[in-house]
């Protein structure tokens, strides 16, 4: 049976990119690979909407999250973490591992952070950085990054460090224009690649703190990578095949255009949200939904995990369930990266088949029709 992947990462990889990555390995200390790095550097700056260097590591996205902390902080610096889900949690867990003192703004799952609370905290204490997710994948929430940036900008000593792992290449996050200081992403989400690359774009304001940073680091050094990237190479052996694939992805994304990419994602997300509502299901994050992933409550009194299981066992499709307290409560559909209108119709029809099988009473095909209306 054909396998279909609709998780909020990893996401499907286009055939053209798979073929590119199957080519013989280039040696990384050659002019041929330097040419690939040069092209990828330009492409990443375009995608992150910045004139600054975008650092590349061979790591999953969390590697870039860790790097963004240990490269900007010095001993004694304090962190302010917005924790509205599993990935918000990860920020303070990394701080904790490095002995960095942190305060947490706990946000109820399914909700966006109150920006007034951030401003209040920044006035009370000097923080080196505010950490937040642009798109909190565990809850399907988009936090208001522009409004947060407008606040953080007013504090000279404070950086805004954004996890854009399910946001870069999904919805607008113009880093330079808004004043984001470190913007992190990974390869296996909107970048249509297998897992294994982590990215961090670093603002001028942030580089000043990177220069002073005295926390221990070796492999994950922004300074070392920047110096090497400027010579179109990497400090260590890079994930050569992934970077070759990335060259093709970025070239295709450029052809599609940023505006068109954002529009495509907005439309797919709207289709899934409207389909869910049309069959009487409730959205987990109705007020500020992310266009990368939609979290939906299962039918009342029923285990939402059964929908995930039916898709997996009977249809060979992957969607995601809920984590922690949301386990059994919600299911999540990823629609970021290499997806189009027909993918949305397909995944939603699978969900309706599962709902029918579970005995949920609704008009069959209603959500599919709604999705067709939005996407058509
Ligand atoms: C996927 C993801 C990450 C990174 O997870 P890895 O498993 O390390 O790639 C971080 N933040 C968000 C919001 C994510 O969706």
């Amino acid at each position: 049976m054909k396998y279909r992947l609709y998780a909020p990462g990893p996401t499907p990889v286009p055939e053209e990119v798979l073929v590119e990555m199957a080519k013989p390995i280039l040696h990384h200390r050659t002019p041929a690979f330097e040419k690939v790095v040069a092209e990828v550097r330009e492409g990443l700056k375009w995608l992150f909407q910045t004139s600054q260097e975008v650092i590349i590591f061979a790591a999953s996205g969390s590697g870039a999250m860790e790097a963004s902390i240990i490269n900007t902080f010095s001993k004694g610096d304090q962190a302010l973490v917005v924790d509205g889900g599993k990935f918000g949690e990860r920020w303070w867990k990394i701080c904790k591992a490095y002995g960095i003192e942190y305060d947490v703004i706990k946000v109820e799952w399914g909700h966006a952070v109150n920006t007034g609370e951030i401003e209040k905290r920044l006035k009370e204490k000097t923080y080196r950085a505010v950490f937040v997710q642009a798109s909190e994948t565990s809850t399907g929430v988009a936090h208001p990054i522009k409004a947060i940036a407008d606040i953080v900008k007013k504090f000279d000593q404070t950086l805004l460090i954004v996890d854009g792992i399910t946001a870069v290449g999904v919805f607008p996050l113009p880093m330079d224009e808004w004043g984001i200081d470190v913007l992190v992403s990974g390869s296996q989400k909107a970048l249509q690649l297998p897992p294994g690359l982590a990215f961090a774009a670093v603002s001028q304001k942030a580089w000043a703190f990177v220069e002073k940073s005295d926390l221990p680091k070796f492999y994950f050094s922004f300074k070392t990578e920047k110096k090497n990237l400027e010579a179109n190479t990497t400090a260590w052996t890079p994930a050569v095949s992934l970077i070759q694939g990335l060259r093709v992805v970025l070239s295709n994304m450029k052809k599609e255009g940023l505006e068109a990419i954002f529009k495509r994602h907005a439309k797919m997300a709207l289709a899934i949200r409207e389909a869910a509502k049309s069959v009487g299901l409730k959205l987990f994050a109705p007020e500020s939904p992310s266009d990368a992933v939609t979290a939906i409550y299962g039918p009342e009194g029923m285990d939402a995990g059964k929908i995930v299981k039916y898709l997996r066992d009977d249809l060979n499709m992957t969607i995601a369930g809920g984590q922690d307290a949301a386990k059994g409560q919600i299911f999540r559909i990823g629609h970021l990266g290499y997806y189009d209108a027909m993918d949305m119709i397909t995944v939603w029809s699978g969900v309706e088949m599962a709902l029918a099988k579970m005995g949920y009473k609704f008009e069959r095909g209603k959500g599919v029709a709604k999705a067709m209306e939005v996407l058509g």
Side-chain angles (χ1 to χ4, degrees):
M1 222 199 298
K2 194 169 183 176
Y3 178 58
R4 292 178 169 89
L5 177 58
Y6 296 95
T11 64
V13 179
E15 242 171 69
E16 190 191 354
V17 179
L18 291 172
V19 169
E20 180 70 19
M21 292 187 303
K23 287 181 181 171
I25 297 288
L26 282 176
H27 192 277
H28 56 293
R29 308 295 181 207
T30 57
F33 191 69
E34 283 166 19
K35 224 175 125 229
V36 174
V37 174
E39 198 179 324
V40 161
R41 281 176 65 205
E42 283 318 302
L44 287 173
K45 286 179 190 174
W46 168 81
L47 178 66
F48 281 70
Q49 298 180 266
T50 182
S51 62
Q52 301 293 313
E53 205 64 49
V54 183
I55 308 296
I56 309 168
F57 292 114
S60 82
S62 303
M65 292 174 75
E66 179 163 337
S68 70
I69 298 175
I70 61 178
N71 281 279
T72 55
F73 274 60
S74 290
K75 292 183 185 101
D77 287 351
Q78 311 234 358
L80 181 60
V81 174
V82 174
D83 174 358
K86 285 309 276 181
F87 293 102
E89 222 173 83
R90 190 163 303 176
W91 283 128
W92 62 254
K93 284 188 174 167
I94 301 169
C95 289
K96 194 171 175 186
Y98 280 93
I100 294 167
E101 274 186 50
Y102 57 88
D103 289 325
V104 174
I105 298 179
K106 189 85 188 131
V107 180
E108 194 188 337
W109 280 37
H111 293 267
V113 65
N114 173 354
T115 55
E117 179 67 17
I118 295 178
E119 183 151 30
K120 186 177 141 253
R121 300 286 193 108
L122 291 181
K123 282 178 179 161
E124 285 166 6
K125 202 196 259 191
T126 300
Y127 292 99
R128 177 61 62 239
V130 174
F131 295 94
V132 65
Q133 270 59 40
S135 165
E136 173 51 78
T137 314
S138 63
T139 64
V141 164
H143 288 297
I145 300 302
K146 183 171 190 308
I148 299 171
D150 286 340
I151 293 164
V152 178
K153 239 187 271 176
K154 293 186 277 189
F155 299 84
D156 290 348
Q157 293 302 307
T158 310
L159 302 172
L160 174 59
I161 301 186
V162 176
D163 170 357
I165 296 179
T166 52
V168 174
V170 177
F171 53 82
L173 279 180
M175 168 161 174
D176 290 359
E177 190 191 320
W178 286 3
I180 297 167
D181 293 306
V182 183
L183 182 56
V184 167
S185 195
S187 54
Q188 81 275 27
K189 311 274 169 107
L191 271 85
Q192 310 173 24
L193 286 164
L197 291 179
F199 310 99
V202 186
S203 77
Q204 240 163 358
K205 182 178 172 187
W207 277 114
F209 293 100
V210 173
E211 286 303 326
K212 290 189 290 196
S213 165
D214 63 3
L215 289 187
K217 56 194 138 298
F218 182 74
Y219 177 81
F220 283 119
S221 164
F222 281 173
K223 269 205 280 193
T224 309
E225 284 301 334
K226 179 168 184 266
K227 206 173 88 207
N228 280 274
L229 279 174
E230 282 166 355
N232 292 324
T233 189
T234 55
W236 322 111
T237 310
V240 172
S241 306
L242 290 173
I243 291 179
Q244 283 178 270
L246 176 61
R247 187 188 63 79
V248 175
V249 168
L250 289 168
S251 155
N252 287 342
M253 287 179 95
K254 270 192 183 171
K255 274 180 221 148
E256 186 179 1
L258 269 187
E259 286 310 312
I261 289 171
F262 298 152
K263 257 197 198 147
R264 176 167 56 83
H265 282 92
K267 213 169 182 183
M268 291 190 297
L270 183 65
I272 295 298
R273 294 196 289 262
E274 291 300 315
K277 289 193 283 186
S278 77
V279 298
L281 296 183
K282 283 200 201 92
L283 301 176
F284 189 61
E287 294 140 31
S288 57
S290 165
D291 286 343
V293 51
T294 299
I296 304 161
Y297 279 109
E300 213 161 309
M302 292 183 188
D303 176 9
K306 283 198 177 147
I307 301 170
V308 181
K309 196 168 173 305
Y310 174 81
L311 263 64
R312 183 191 68 200
D313 297 343
D314 288 44
L315 302 176
N316 204 22
M317 289 164 85
T318 299
I319 60 169
Q323 296 159 287
D324 291 356
K327 196 167 190 261
Q329 302 269 309
I330 62 170
F331 61 99
R332 293 173 299 143
I333 297 173
H335 33 70
L336 74 165
Y338 185 51
Y339 290 117
D340 62 15
M342 295 318 292
D343 287 311
M344 297 306 106
I345 305 279
T346 304
V347 70
W348 192 262
S349 50
V351 169
E352 287 201 6
M353 287 164 75
L355 290 171
K357 187 105 176 172
M358 288 161 71
Y360 175 58
K361 295 274 173 284
F362 70 107
E363 186 189 322
R364 276 233 227 175
K366 197 170 178 193
V368 176
K370 192 72 201 175
M372 283 162 65
E373 189 189 313
V374 173
L375 295 160

